[in-house]
Structure formats: structure tokens, C-alpha cells
Amino acid sequence: EVQLVESGGGLVQAGGSLRLSCAASGFTDDAYAIGWFRQAPGKEREGVSCIVGSDGSTYYIDSVRGRFTISSDSAKNTVYLQMNSLKPEDTAVYYCAASTHLPSLDPKEYAYWGQGTQVTVSS
């Protein structure tokens, strides 16, 4: 059974930092990429970042590049999203997801999803 569990969300002031964790289980060699997505109330789900398992390549949406960093710890089967210089517009539920296809920030390319963790940034 494939499972993805997010943690690390919370409430921070603008300019602060959080580190999200995504603990994965139940995979063999079929996961190609792990992505982070976010969804704010009334808005579409948005791809934020992804990391490719085969070579460690990373991808970011323009609005977070330079502020967020995605990384992985293979020994712990965990992917992290370090979020610095947070802005109120970063407020959303953040999800991690696994893809068996090409690297992408399109939610439609991801087959397995966690339950989400809330990130709130106050102004």
C-alpha cells in the first residue's frame, strides 16, 4: 500500500521559515518524482516543486524559486520542502504527491497523494 504523510505545517509571520516533510512508504522502484503542491481556499491546486528520484533534479514554480528548497533523504524515504522568506500569499494546504511519469508540476500527472498540512503566513 502506497502512503504519503505530510507534516511540519503551522503558523508563522511573514519572513519566517518552515520545513515540511513527506514520509513515503509502500514504493518499490515505480516512483519517478515527488512533488509538492498547494491549494488556497477558492483557488486551483498549484504545483510548487518536485524532485526526480533517478538523478535528484529539482524544479520550482517561479514564485517560490530562491525561497523554497526541495530535498530528499533516501535512507529515511522522506522528501522535504524548506520554505524561507514566507509571504502571506504562500498560505495554503500543502500536499506531497508521487508520480511514475515524467517530471512535472501538473497535478494531473501525479497518482498518489498525501492528506495535506496547513501553512498559514500572517502579514
Short mmCIF file of all heavy atoms in Angstrom, two decimals, residues 18-22 32-37 47-53 55-61 64-73 78-84 94-98 103-105 110:
data_model
loop_
_atom_site.label_atom_id
_atom_site.label_comp_id
_atom_site.label_asym_id
_atom_site.label_seq_id
_atom_site.Cartn_x
_atom_site.Cartn_y
_atom_site.Cartn_z
N LEU A 18 9.55 27.59 7.50
CA LEU A 18 9.02 26.30 7.90
C LEU A 18 9.69 25.23 7.05
O LEU A 18 10.09 25.49 5.92
CB LEU A 18 7.51 26.21 7.69
CG LEU A 18 6.58 26.94 8.66
CD1 LEU A 18 5.15 26.86 8.13
CD2 LEU A 18 6.67 26.34 10.05
N ARG A 19 9.79 24.02 7.59
CA ARG A 19 10.24 22.88 6.80
C ARG A 19 9.17 21.80 6.83
O ARG A 19 8.83 21.28 7.90
CB ARG A 19 11.56 22.30 7.31
CG ARG A 19 12.12 21.23 6.35
CD ARG A 19 13.49 20.74 6.73
NE ARG A 19 13.45 19.79 7.83
CZ ARG A 19 14.42 18.92 8.10
NH1 ARG A 19 15.52 18.88 7.34
NH2 ARG A 19 14.31 18.11 9.13
N LEU A 20 8.65 21.47 5.65
CA LEU A 20 7.67 20.41 5.51
C LEU A 20 8.36 19.09 5.23
O LEU A 20 9.39 19.05 4.56
CB LEU A 20 6.69 20.72 4.38
CG LEU A 20 5.97 22.07 4.44
CD1 LEU A 20 4.99 22.18 3.28
CD2 LEU A 20 5.27 22.27 5.77
N SER A 21 7.78 18.01 5.72
CA SER A 21 8.29 16.67 5.48
C SER A 21 7.22 15.82 4.83
O SER A 21 6.04 15.95 5.15
CB SER A 21 8.74 16.01 6.79
OG SER A 21 9.79 16.74 7.41
N CYS A 22 7.65 14.94 3.95
CA CYS A 22 6.77 13.98 3.30
C CYS A 22 7.38 12.60 3.47
O CYS A 22 8.39 12.29 2.85
CB CYS A 22 6.59 14.31 1.82
SG CYS A 22 5.63 13.10 0.88
N TYR A 32 8.81 7.96 -9.82
CA TYR A 32 9.78 8.71 -10.61
C TYR A 32 10.09 10.08 -10.01
O TYR A 32 11.23 10.53 -10.07
CB TYR A 32 9.25 8.88 -12.04
CG TYR A 32 10.25 9.49 -12.98
CD1 TYR A 32 11.28 8.73 -13.52
CD2 TYR A 32 10.16 10.83 -13.34
CE1 TYR A 32 12.19 9.28 -14.39
CE2 TYR A 32 11.07 11.39 -14.21
CZ TYR A 32 12.09 10.62 -14.73
OH TYR A 32 13.00 11.17 -15.60
N ALA A 33 9.07 10.73 -9.45
CA ALA A 33 9.25 12.05 -8.87
C ALA A 33 8.30 12.24 -7.70
O ALA A 33 7.21 11.67 -7.67
CB ALA A 33 8.99 13.13 -9.92
N ILE A 34 8.73 13.06 -6.75
CA ILE A 34 7.89 13.51 -5.65
C ILE A 34 7.70 15.01 -5.80
O ILE A 34 8.67 15.75 -5.96
CB ILE A 34 8.50 13.19 -4.28
CG1 ILE A 34 8.70 11.67 -4.11
CG2 ILE A 34 7.62 13.75 -3.16
CD1 ILE A 34 7.40 10.88 -4.03
N GLY A 35 6.46 15.45 -5.75
CA GLY A 35 6.15 16.86 -5.90
C GLY A 35 5.45 17.43 -4.69
O GLY A 35 4.82 16.70 -3.91
N TRP A 36 5.59 18.74 -4.51
CA TRP A 36 4.84 19.49 -3.52
C TRP A 36 3.85 20.39 -4.25
O TRP A 36 4.20 21.07 -5.22
CB TRP A 36 5.75 20.34 -2.64
CG TRP A 36 6.50 19.55 -1.61
CD1 TRP A 36 7.78 19.11 -1.67
CD2 TRP A 36 5.99 19.13 -0.34
NE1 TRP A 36 8.11 18.43 -0.52
CE2 TRP A 36 7.03 18.43 0.32
CE3 TRP A 36 4.77 19.28 0.31
CZ2 TRP A 36 6.87 17.88 1.59
CZ3 TRP A 36 4.62 18.72 1.57
CH2 TRP A 36 5.67 18.04 2.19
N PHE A 37 2.62 20.40 -3.77
CA PHE A 37 1.54 21.20 -4.33
C PHE A 37 0.86 21.97 -3.21
O PHE A 37 0.98 21.62 -2.03
CB PHE A 37 0.53 20.30 -5.05
CG PHE A 37 1.12 19.51 -6.18
CD1 PHE A 37 1.84 18.35 -5.94
CD2 PHE A 37 1.00 19.95 -7.49
CE1 PHE A 37 2.40 17.62 -6.97
CE2 PHE A 37 1.56 19.23 -8.53
CZ PHE A 37 2.26 18.08 -8.27
N GLY A 47 1.13 23.42 -8.57
CA GLY A 47 2.41 22.77 -8.37
C GLY A 47 3.45 23.75 -7.86
O GLY A 47 3.56 24.86 -8.38
N VAL A 48 4.22 23.35 -6.86
CA VAL A 48 5.22 24.22 -6.23
C VAL A 48 6.63 23.77 -6.58
O VAL A 48 7.47 24.58 -6.99
CB VAL A 48 5.04 24.24 -4.70
CG1 VAL A 48 6.14 25.06 -4.04
CG2 VAL A 48 3.66 24.79 -4.34
N SER A 49 6.92 22.48 -6.43
CA SER A 49 8.26 21.97 -6.62
C SER A 49 8.20 20.46 -6.78
O SER A 49 7.27 19.82 -6.30
CB SER A 49 9.15 22.34 -5.42
OG SER A 49 10.47 21.88 -5.59
N CYS A 50 9.21 19.89 -7.45
CA CYS A 50 9.33 18.44 -7.49
C CYS A 50 10.79 18.05 -7.57
O CYS A 50 11.65 18.84 -7.95
CB CYS A 50 8.53 17.82 -8.64
SG CYS A 50 9.19 18.10 -10.30
N ILE A 51 11.05 16.80 -7.19
CA ILE A 51 12.40 16.25 -7.22
C ILE A 51 12.34 14.89 -7.89
O ILE A 51 11.42 14.10 -7.64
CB ILE A 51 13.01 16.18 -5.80
CG1 ILE A 51 14.47 15.73 -5.87
CG2 ILE A 51 12.19 15.28 -4.89
CD1 ILE A 51 15.22 15.96 -4.56
N VAL A 52 13.31 14.60 -8.76
CA VAL A 52 13.35 13.38 -9.54
C VAL A 52 14.21 12.35 -8.81
O VAL A 52 15.36 12.63 -8.46
CB VAL A 52 13.91 13.63 -10.95
CG1 VAL A 52 13.94 12.34 -11.76
CG2 VAL A 52 13.07 14.68 -11.66
N GLY A 53 13.64 11.15 -8.62
CA GLY A 53 14.35 10.15 -7.85
C GLY A 53 15.61 9.63 -8.50
O GLY A 53 16.58 9.30 -7.81
N ASP A 55 17.95 11.06 -10.52
CA ASP A 55 19.15 11.89 -10.58
C ASP A 55 19.13 13.08 -9.63
O ASP A 55 20.10 13.85 -9.61
CB ASP A 55 19.41 12.37 -12.01
CG ASP A 55 18.30 13.24 -12.57
OD1 ASP A 55 17.36 13.60 -11.82
OD2 ASP A 55 18.36 13.56 -13.77
N GLY A 56 18.05 13.28 -8.88
CA GLY A 56 17.98 14.37 -7.93
C GLY A 56 17.67 15.73 -8.53
O GLY A 56 17.76 16.74 -7.81
N SER A 57 17.32 15.79 -9.80
CA SER A 57 16.96 17.06 -10.43
C SER A 57 15.77 17.68 -9.72
O SER A 57 14.85 16.97 -9.29
CB SER A 57 16.65 16.86 -11.90
OG SER A 57 17.77 16.36 -12.61
N THR A 58 15.77 19.00 -9.63
CA THR A 58 14.71 19.72 -8.94
C THR A 58 14.08 20.76 -9.86
O THR A 58 14.73 21.30 -10.76
CB THR A 58 15.22 20.40 -7.67
OG1 THR A 58 16.28 21.31 -8.01
CG2 THR A 58 15.75 19.36 -6.69
N TYR A 59 12.80 21.06 -9.59
CA TYR A 59 12.04 22.01 -10.37
C TYR A 59 11.21 22.86 -9.42
O TYR A 59 10.72 22.36 -8.40
CB TYR A 59 11.13 21.30 -11.38
CG TYR A 59 11.88 20.42 -12.34
CD1 TYR A 59 12.23 19.12 -12.00
CD2 TYR A 59 12.24 20.90 -13.60
CE1 TYR A 59 12.94 18.32 -12.88
CE2 TYR A 59 12.94 20.10 -14.49
CZ TYR A 59 13.28 18.81 -14.12
OH TYR A 59 13.98 18.02 -15.00
N TYR A 60 11.03 24.15 -9.76
CA TYR A 60 10.30 25.07 -8.92
C TYR A 60 9.40 25.96 -9.76
O TYR A 60 9.76 26.35 -10.88
CB TYR A 60 11.24 25.97 -8.12
CG TYR A 60 12.17 25.24 -7.20
CD1 TYR A 60 13.43 24.84 -7.62
CD2 TYR A 60 11.80 24.95 -5.89
CE1 TYR A 60 14.30 24.17 -6.78
CE2 TYR A 60 12.66 24.28 -5.04
CZ TYR A 60 13.91 23.89 -5.48
OH TYR A 60 14.76 23.23 -4.64
N ILE A 61 8.26 26.31 -9.21
CA ILE A 61 7.44 27.35 -9.81
C ILE A 61 8.13 28.70 -9.56
O ILE A 61 8.81 28.89 -8.55
CB ILE A 61 6.01 27.33 -9.23
CG1 ILE A 61 5.08 28.20 -10.05
CG2 ILE A 61 6.01 27.72 -7.77
CD1 ILE A 61 3.61 28.02 -9.66
N VAL A 64 8.30 30.76 -6.14
CA VAL A 64 8.98 30.28 -4.95
C VAL A 64 10.47 30.06 -5.17
O VAL A 64 11.20 29.82 -4.20
CB VAL A 64 8.36 28.98 -4.40
CG1 VAL A 64 6.86 29.13 -4.24
CG2 VAL A 64 8.69 27.79 -5.30
N ARG A 65 10.93 30.15 -6.40
CA ARG A 65 12.34 29.91 -6.69
C ARG A 65 13.22 30.91 -5.94
O ARG A 65 12.97 32.11 -5.96
CB ARG A 65 12.60 30.00 -8.20
CG ARG A 65 14.01 29.56 -8.61
CD ARG A 65 14.19 29.53 -10.13
NE ARG A 65 13.39 28.47 -10.74
CZ ARG A 65 12.33 28.70 -11.50
NH1 ARG A 65 11.93 29.93 -11.75
NH2 ARG A 65 11.66 27.68 -12.01
N GLY A 66 14.24 30.39 -5.27
CA GLY A 66 15.10 31.22 -4.44
C GLY A 66 14.67 31.33 -3.01
O GLY A 66 15.46 31.75 -2.15
N ARG A 67 13.43 30.97 -2.71
CA ARG A 67 12.92 30.97 -1.35
C ARG A 67 12.70 29.56 -0.80
O ARG A 67 12.92 29.32 0.39
CB ARG A 67 11.60 31.75 -1.26
CG ARG A 67 11.72 33.21 -1.67
CD ARG A 67 10.43 33.97 -1.36
NE ARG A 67 9.29 33.45 -2.11
CZ ARG A 67 8.17 32.96 -1.57
NH1 ARG A 67 8.05 32.92 -0.24
NH2 ARG A 67 7.18 32.53 -2.33
N PHE A 68 12.26 28.64 -1.66
CA PHE A 68 11.97 27.27 -1.25
C PHE A 68 13.04 26.34 -1.80
O PHE A 68 13.58 26.55 -2.89
CB PHE A 68 10.62 26.80 -1.79
CG PHE A 68 9.41 27.48 -1.21
CD1 PHE A 68 9.52 28.57 -0.37
CD2 PHE A 68 8.15 27.01 -1.51
CE1 PHE A 68 8.40 29.20 0.16
CE2 PHE A 68 7.02 27.61 -0.98
CZ PHE A 68 7.14 28.71 -0.15
N THR A 69 13.34 25.27 -1.06
CA THR A 69 14.29 24.26 -1.49
C THR A 69 13.73 22.88 -1.21
O THR A 69 13.33 22.58 -0.08
CB THR A 69 15.64 24.40 -0.76
OG1 THR A 69 16.18 25.71 -0.98
CG2 THR A 69 16.63 23.37 -1.28
N ILE A 70 13.68 22.04 -2.25
CA ILE A 70 13.24 20.66 -2.09
C ILE A 70 14.46 19.76 -1.97
O ILE A 70 15.48 19.98 -2.64
CB ILE A 70 12.32 20.23 -3.25
CG1 ILE A 70 11.64 18.89 -2.96
CG2 ILE A 70 13.09 20.18 -4.57
CD1 ILE A 70 10.54 18.55 -3.96
N SER A 71 14.38 18.74 -1.12
CA SER A 71 15.48 17.81 -0.94
C SER A 71 14.91 16.47 -0.52
O SER A 71 13.73 16.35 -0.18
CB SER A 71 16.48 18.33 0.10
OG SER A 71 15.87 18.47 1.37
N SER A 72 15.76 15.44 -0.53
CA SER A 72 15.31 14.10 -0.16
C SER A 72 16.37 13.40 0.67
O SER A 72 17.56 13.69 0.56
CB SER A 72 14.98 13.27 -1.40
OG SER A 72 16.12 13.05 -2.19
N ASP A 73 15.91 12.49 1.49
CA ASP A 73 16.77 11.62 2.28
C ASP A 73 16.33 10.20 1.97
O ASP A 73 15.34 9.72 2.52
CB ASP A 73 16.64 11.93 3.77
CG ASP A 73 17.61 11.15 4.62
OD1 ASP A 73 18.08 10.08 4.19
OD2 ASP A 73 17.90 11.59 5.75
N THR A 78 12.12 10.05 2.81
CA THR A 78 11.47 11.31 3.15
C THR A 78 11.92 12.41 2.19
O THR A 78 13.10 12.50 1.85
CB THR A 78 11.77 11.72 4.59
OG1 THR A 78 11.30 10.70 5.48
CG2 THR A 78 11.08 13.03 4.95
N VAL A 79 10.97 13.23 1.77
CA VAL A 79 11.24 14.42 0.97
C VAL A 79 10.86 15.64 1.79
O VAL A 79 9.84 15.65 2.49
CB VAL A 79 10.46 14.38 -0.36
CG1 VAL A 79 10.61 15.70 -1.12
CG2 VAL A 79 10.95 13.23 -1.23
N TYR A 80 11.69 16.67 1.70
CA TYR A 80 11.49 17.89 2.49
C TYR A 80 11.25 19.08 1.58
O TYR A 80 11.70 19.13 0.43
CB TYR A 80 12.73 18.18 3.35
CG TYR A 80 13.12 17.04 4.26
CD1 TYR A 80 14.09 16.13 3.87
CD2 TYR A 80 12.51 16.88 5.49
CE1 TYR A 80 14.45 15.08 4.70
CE2 TYR A 80 12.86 15.84 6.33
CZ TYR A 80 13.83 14.94 5.94
OH TYR A 80 14.19 13.91 6.77
N LEU A 81 10.55 20.06 2.10
CA LEU A 81 10.41 21.36 1.45
C LEU A 81 10.75 22.43 2.47
O LEU A 81 9.97 22.70 3.38
CB LEU A 81 9.00 21.57 0.90
CG LEU A 81 8.82 22.86 0.09
CD1 LEU A 81 9.61 22.78 -1.22
CD2 LEU A 81 7.34 23.12 -0.20
N GLN A 82 11.95 23.00 2.34
CA GLN A 82 12.36 24.10 3.19
C GLN A 82 11.82 25.39 2.61
O GLN A 82 12.10 25.73 1.47
CB GLN A 82 13.89 24.17 3.28
CG GLN A 82 14.42 25.32 4.13
CD GLN A 82 14.11 25.15 5.60
OE1 GLN A 82 14.27 24.08 6.15
NE2 GLN A 82 13.64 26.23 6.22
N MET A 83 11.04 26.11 3.39
CA MET A 83 10.38 27.33 2.94
C MET A 83 10.90 28.50 3.75
O MET A 83 10.69 28.57 4.96
CB MET A 83 8.86 27.22 3.07
CG MET A 83 8.27 26.01 2.36
SD MET A 83 6.45 25.98 2.41
CE MET A 83 6.19 25.77 4.17
N ASN A 84 11.60 29.42 3.09
CA ASN A 84 12.15 30.60 3.72
C ASN A 84 11.48 31.85 3.15
O ASN A 84 10.86 31.81 2.10
CB ASN A 84 13.66 30.68 3.50
CG ASN A 84 14.42 29.53 4.10
OD1 ASN A 84 14.04 28.99 5.14
ND2 ASN A 84 15.51 29.13 3.46
N TYR A 94 -0.67 22.36 1.94
CA TYR A 94 0.41 21.82 1.13
C TYR A 94 0.32 20.30 1.10
O TYR A 94 0.18 19.65 2.14
CB TYR A 94 1.77 22.26 1.68
CG TYR A 94 2.12 23.68 1.32
CD1 TYR A 94 1.44 24.74 1.89
CD2 TYR A 94 3.11 23.95 0.38
CE1 TYR A 94 1.74 26.05 1.54
CE2 TYR A 94 3.42 25.25 0.03
CZ TYR A 94 2.74 26.30 0.61
OH TYR A 94 3.05 27.60 0.26
N TYR A 95 0.41 19.74 -0.10
CA TYR A 95 0.33 18.31 -0.32
C TYR A 95 1.61 17.80 -0.97
O TYR A 95 2.19 18.48 -1.81
CB TYR A 95 -0.82 17.96 -1.27
CG TYR A 95 -2.19 18.39 -0.81
CD1 TYR A 95 -2.68 19.65 -1.11
CD2 TYR A 95 -3.00 17.52 -0.10
CE1 TYR A 95 -3.94 20.05 -0.72
CE2 TYR A 95 -4.27 17.89 0.30
CZ TYR A 95 -4.74 19.16 -0.02
OH TYR A 95 -5.99 19.54 0.38
N CYS A 96 2.03 16.61 -0.61
CA CYS A 96 3.05 15.93 -1.39
C CYS A 96 2.38 14.84 -2.21
O CYS A 96 1.32 14.33 -1.86
CB CYS A 96 4.18 15.36 -0.53
SG CYS A 96 3.74 14.02 0.59
N ALA A 97 2.99 14.51 -3.35
CA ALA A 97 2.42 13.54 -4.27
C ALA A 97 3.54 12.83 -5.01
O ALA A 97 4.64 13.36 -5.16
CB ALA A 97 1.48 14.23 -5.26
N ALA A 98 3.25 11.63 -5.50
CA ALA A 98 4.21 10.81 -6.22
C ALA A 98 3.75 10.57 -7.64
O ALA A 98 2.56 10.30 -7.88
CB ALA A 98 4.43 9.48 -5.51
N PRO A 103 9.02 14.21 -15.02
CA PRO A 103 8.97 15.34 -14.07
C PRO A 103 7.95 16.37 -14.52
O PRO A 103 7.88 16.73 -15.70
CB PRO A 103 10.39 15.90 -14.12
CG PRO A 103 11.24 14.77 -14.57
CD PRO A 103 10.39 13.99 -15.53
N SER A 104 7.16 16.85 -13.56
CA SER A 104 6.08 17.75 -13.90
C SER A 104 5.61 18.49 -12.67
O SER A 104 5.75 17.99 -11.54
CB SER A 104 4.92 16.96 -14.51
OG SER A 104 3.81 17.79 -14.76
N LEU A 105 5.06 19.68 -12.87
CA LEU A 105 4.36 20.41 -11.82
C LEU A 105 2.86 20.45 -12.09
O LEU A 105 2.15 21.26 -11.50
CB LEU A 105 4.93 21.83 -11.68
CG LEU A 105 6.38 21.90 -11.17
CD1 LEU A 105 6.86 23.34 -11.12
CD2 LEU A 105 6.50 21.24 -9.80
N TYR A 110 0.20 13.22 -11.29
CA TYR A 110 0.52 12.56 -10.03
C TYR A 110 -0.61 11.63 -9.60
O TYR A 110 -1.78 12.04 -9.55
CB TYR A 110 0.82 13.61 -8.95
CG TYR A 110 2.15 14.27 -9.18
CD1 TYR A 110 2.31 15.24 -10.16
CD2 TYR A 110 3.27 13.89 -8.43
CE1 TYR A 110 3.55 15.82 -10.40
CE2 TYR A 110 4.50 14.48 -8.65
CZ TYR A 110 4.63 15.44 -9.64
OH TYR A 110 5.86 16.02 -9.86
#
